[in-house]
Amino acid sequence: MMQAAFHSNLDKEFGLITEFWSPRVVAVANGQYVKVAKARGEFAWHSHADEDEFFLVRKGTFRVRYRDRPDVVLHEGDFHVVPKGVEHSPIAPEEAWIVLVEPAATKHTGDTVTDLTKSIESQIAHLR
Ligand code: NI
């Protein structure tokens, strides 16, 4: 695992994002990636068989849709953990800024591949 910056600023990192639904790794700690992403519109339905997924909303409103339980609506400052193995689909009616924490191996669209899928390599390319 590469050496990542250990000192930055959250909003500065958001400022470097140019694409929606394209996670940017901003820190690595204990085998976990801390990522920032800008969300707008709908994201693909997917699940992560072995990984929980932590979401924190920095700005805007973000909804996590589920098939088997009520949706969770997150406002600025709210956080939520999507349990492993549970199918979910994020949606942001307007631009939202999201912080994610997940194991380095987690694929953001799970085993589903869509036009929005970004490789882990592309998410960490700027740290190399
Ligand atoms: Ni997910």
Side-chain angles (χ1 to χ4, degrees):
M1 194 171 292
M2 75 286 312
Q3 191 71 37
F6 61 90
H7 180 179
S8 187
N9 174 276
L10 201 53
D11 288 353
K12 178 188 144 198
E13 296 291 343
F14 277 110
L16 296 169
I17 294 176
T18 56
E19 225 182 324
F20 291 111
W21 302 117
S22 184
R24 173 183 177 83
V25 176
V26 296
V28 182
N30 305 312
Q32 304 278 312
Y33 280 165
V34 179
K35 304 179 178 182
V36 297
K38 289 182 178 176
R40 194 180 69 192
E42 294 188 41
F43 197 64
W45 284 97
H46 65 278
S47 60
H48 312 276
D50 299 316
E51 300 114 359
D52 300 323
E53 193 166 43
F54 172 94
F55 286 98
L56 163 70
V57 176
R58 168 67 185 91
K59 190 164 125 178
T61 299
F62 188 73
R63 176 186 294 263
V64 180
R65 294 177 295 178
Y66 288 110
R67 297 209 195 267
D68 65 346
R69 64 197 71 193
D71 293 358
V72 175
V73 179
L74 304 168
H75 301 287
E76 186 173 313
D78 292 342
F79 58 86
H80 175 64
V81 177
V82 174
K84 66 188 71 169
V86 176
E87 200 177 12
H88 58 283
S89 167
I91 181 167
E94 292 171 18
E95 179 172 333
W97 293 8
I98 310 302
V99 179
L100 300 98
V101 180
E102 56 195 15
T106 303
K107 299 176 202 161
H108 71 144
T109 56
D111 289 329
T112 308
V113 176
T114 75
D115 291 348
L116 291 169
T117 302
K118 304 289 179 193
S119 68
I120 304 272
E121 290 70 29
S122 76
Q123 299 174 36
I124 59 171
H126 59 283
L127 295 180
R128 288 180 191 280

